[in-house]
Structure formats: C-alpha cells, structure tokens
C-alpha cells in the first residue's frame, strides 16, 4: 500500500508537538544538557489548628544534566507563607537544596460552617539553565487540613425551662446564664463574648466581673479564666434596657457571639421584651 510521504511527515510532526506540550521540552528533546528540578514538601503534619504556625521543608533536587541558576520559588496558597532562607542561586546537577518555610492558616481561611477543610499548599519553581534559558516551570503540590476548635453555646437560661424570651420591666436587670463547651483548651484572654443589638439603649454587665469594652451596638467581655477542653462551664451576665417615654412594650433581639483569637466560633440570638412600669 502506498502512503503519501507528506502525511507521514505531518503525523510525525503532530506526535512531536503533542509530546512537547504534554511531557515538556526536557523530556522530548534531551539532546542538550539541561537542568531538571523536582521537589517535594516534607515536615508538615497532616492537620493544623487555624491561626497556628507550622514549619515545613521544601526540598529541591536537580536531576538533570547541568546546573540550574536564577531559581525562584513562588508560593500559591491561601496560607500565609514565609521563608527562613532564600532559594539557592545555583543548584548543581545531582544536588539537593532544602529550604525551611513557615505557614499560618489565617482566620478567613475557614467559614463559620466549616470545621475541617483541606487547603492546597503549592509552590511554583522557576529556573534557567547555565546559558540563561528559562526552563519549564515546576509546580509542587501539597494539601494541609486546617481545623477550628469546636466551641458551642450549649444552653441559654433566661430564667425558666420553657422561657423563650427575656422579660424585663423598664430599668430592671435580667439575668442571662450561658453554658459553653470546647474540644480544645482556651487560654485566658484568648476568647471572649460579644452582645450586640440594633436597639440603642442596651446595657450588659458581667456577674463574674470580666473586663468589658463598648463596641458598635453593644459590649465585649474578655474571659479571664482558662477553659478546659470538654468541660462545660457557665457564664452569667446582666442585661438592662430602658423603653422610650410613653412606650408600653418594646421588643428587640440581642445577638451573642463567641470569639477565639478573633475567629467567630458560635453565635445565638435571644429575644428581649421590655415593658414600662
């Protein structure tokens, strides 16, 4: 069977083009003594608590046939990544370089609804051969699981088992008791609660004398005792409000938010009814 030579050359050219695009220039045309950098991430644990720092090692190996120069390492990740040292200016063929780095999962990396999530940690490696020609970019990929503490408001007591609203007379204090529990140890000062409302005349105080500060729409209380993991504890607060002159009844909602290191861990609302004497 006669086959047109033109179509044979076209088929060979197509195979070469596809091979270069898929495998890269170093794999197909290996006539030149070019460097070839590969890498991996070592030293990281499989999971990290959100906002905690982790240390890892980025290992770069030149398995090519010549030296690599002008090496650049670019992290592509939602983690905050910092390096303890710069990439090597020269990586000889057959040699390995180890770069120490640190990652911190910032608080925005997880949503309130997410307890655990795999976050990609990628590094792009750019380098040149000894003649200054840019080689194919190498991407090193790794996933790290990030988790948040499980912190829950277990119970809110407004003065009765069946009570769903905090009922107050005008200028009268109402007691709110909140049971909270965490699966991690929380150090004093690292966690706090905020009470906020659209209602303009709202006063909240801590029965346990926790330091407080006024924030937009309410108050913030910083807990001064350590919260032991898997132990349920109770916190008590007094809420006081005033109705405007001539009002008979005013209803509004107070939002309670629990934070740890600035990360919102749980929140619940309570309804408040204030009446005039």
């Amino acid at each position: 069977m006669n086959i047109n030579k033109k179509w044979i050359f076209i088929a060979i050219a197509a195979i070469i083009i596809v091979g270069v695009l898929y495998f890269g220039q170093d794999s197909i045309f290996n006539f030149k003594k070019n460097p070839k950098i590969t890498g991996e991430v070592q030293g990281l644990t499989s999971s990290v608590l959100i906002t905690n720092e982790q240390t890892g090692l980025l290992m770069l190996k030149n398995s090519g046939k010549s030296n690599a120069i002008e090496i650049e390492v670019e992290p592509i990740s939602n983690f905050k990544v910092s390096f303890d040292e710069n990439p090597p200016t020269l990586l000889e063929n057959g040699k390995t370089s180890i770069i120490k780095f640190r990652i911190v999962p910032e608080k925005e990396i997880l949503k309130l609804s997410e307890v655990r999530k795999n976050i990609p940690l990628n590094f792009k490696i750019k380098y040149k051969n000894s003649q200054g020609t840019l080689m194919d970019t190498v991407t090193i990929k790794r996933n790290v699981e990030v988790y948040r503490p499980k912190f829950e408001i277990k119970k809110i007591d407004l003065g009765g088992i069946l009570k769903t609203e905090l009922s107050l007379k005008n200028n009268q204090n109402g007691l709110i008791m909140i049971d909270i529990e965490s699966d991690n140890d929380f150090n004093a000062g690292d966690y706090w609660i905020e009470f906020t409302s659209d209602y303009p005349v709202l006063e909240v105080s801590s029965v346990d004398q926790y330091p407080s500060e006024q924030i937009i729409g309410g108050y913030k209380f910083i807990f001064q005792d350590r919260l032991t993991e898997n132990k349920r504890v109770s916190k008590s607060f007094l809420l006081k409000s005033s109705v405007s002159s001539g009002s008979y009844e005013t209803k509004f909602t107070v939002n309670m938010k629990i934070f740890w290191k600035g990360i919102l861990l749980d929140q619940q609302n309570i309804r408040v009814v204030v009446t005039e004497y």
Side-chain angles (χ1 to χ4, degrees):
M1 178 189 290
N2 293 327
I3 301 176
N4 193 321
K5 291 182 179 180
K6 180 180 72 172
W7 293 109
I8 294 176
F9 289 132
I10 291 174
I12 293 173
I15 292 171
I16 291 174
I17 292 172
V18 172
V20 170
L21 292 175
Y22 187 79
F23 295 104
Q25 62 191 20
D26 295 333
S27 299
I28 301 300
F29 298 114
N30 209 12
F31 310 117
K32 293 183 179 180
K33 292 185 177 181
N34 282 328
K36 184 179 181 181
I37 288 183
T38 57
E40 63 177 319
V41 173
Q42 293 186 351
L44 291 177
T45 58
S46 59
S47 61
V48 57
L49 180 65
I50 191 168
T51 76
N52 278 13
E53 182 182 83
Q54 270 237 46
T55 301
L57 301 174
L58 178 62
M59 302 187 68
L60 303 179
K61 182 178 180 180
N62 183 0
S63 57
K65 297 181 178 181
S66 67
N67 299 337
I69 63 173
E70 297 186 36
I71 301 167
E72 298 179 13
V73 178
E74 180 186 1
I76 308 295
S77 178
N78 289 327
F79 291 103
K80 181 181 179 182
V81 183
S82 59
F83 295 95
D84 285 9
E85 55 228 309
N86 294 322
T89 56
L90 169 69
L91 185 56
E92 298 177 351
N93 56 307
K95 299 292 185 179
T96 299
S97 177
I98 300 176
I99 305 171
K100 187 177 180 181
F101 66 90
R102 302 172 190 275
I103 62 170
V104 177
E106 299 184 280
K107 61 184 181 181
E108 296 84 6
I109 211 166
L110 291 181
K111 300 176 182 177
L112 179 59
S113 59
E114 297 172 332
V115 178
R116 292 180 178 268
K117 185 178 181 181
N118 283 326
I119 307 296
L121 173 64
N122 299 337
F123 296 93
K124 281 192 175 181
I125 314 300
K126 298 179 181 179
Y127 63 101
K128 297 179 180 179
N129 64 13
S130 54
Q131 285 77 43
T133 302
L134 187 65
M135 298 288 99
D136 289 341
T137 300
V138 176
T139 301
I140 301 169
K141 298 181 179 181
R142 172 74 184 269
N143 283 333
V144 179
E145 184 185 59
V146 179
Y147 68 96
R148 67 166 69 242
K150 184 181 179 183
F151 194 118
E152 292 182 295
I153 299 175
K154 307 292 289 189
K155 178 185 174 185
I156 301 174
D157 190 345
L158 302 178
I161 296 176
L162 300 178
K163 197 169 184 180
T164 58
E165 292 181 336
L166 180 64
S167 300
L168 304 175
K169 293 293 185 180
N170 188 27
N171 285 321
Q172 177 190 46
N173 286 323
L175 180 64
I176 304 174
M177 298 180 66
I178 305 170
D179 287 355
I180 57 177
E181 185 178 341
S182 169
D183 64 353
N184 280 259
D185 278 345
F186 282 5
N187 294 324
D190 279 349
Y191 68 111
W192 63 85
I193 189 168
E194 294 182 3
F195 295 85
T196 57
S197 176
D198 290 335
Y199 189 67
V201 187
L202 173 70
E203 296 180 26
V204 185
S205 59
S206 168
V207 174
D208 303 305
Q209 307 280 311
Y210 293 125
S212 69
E213 60 182 86
Q214 280 195 285
I215 58 175
I216 298 176
Y219 295 82
K220 169 183 175 180
F221 296 89
I222 301 175
F223 297 124
Q224 298 299 302
D225 48 356
R226 182 180 178 184
L227 180 60
T228 306
E229 64 176 302
N230 299 322
K231 182 179 179 181
R232 191 161 165 172
V233 296
S234 180
K235 311 287 185 182
S236 299
F237 299 89
L238 293 174
L239 189 147
K240 182 179 180 180
S241 185
S242 301
V243 295
S244 57
S245 177
S247 296
Y248 174 74
E249 182 179 86
T250 300
K251 292 186 177 183
F252 58 94
T253 300
V254 175
N255 181 225
M256 297 178 294
K257 296 181 178 180
I258 295 282
F259 291 87
W260 169 73
K261 293 186 176 181
I263 303 169
L264 178 62
L265 296 184
D266 197 12
Q267 63 178 332
Q268 289 191 28
N269 294 324
I270 60 169
R271 290 179 294 175
V272 181
V273 179
V274 183
T275 56
E276 195 177 32
Y277 276 109

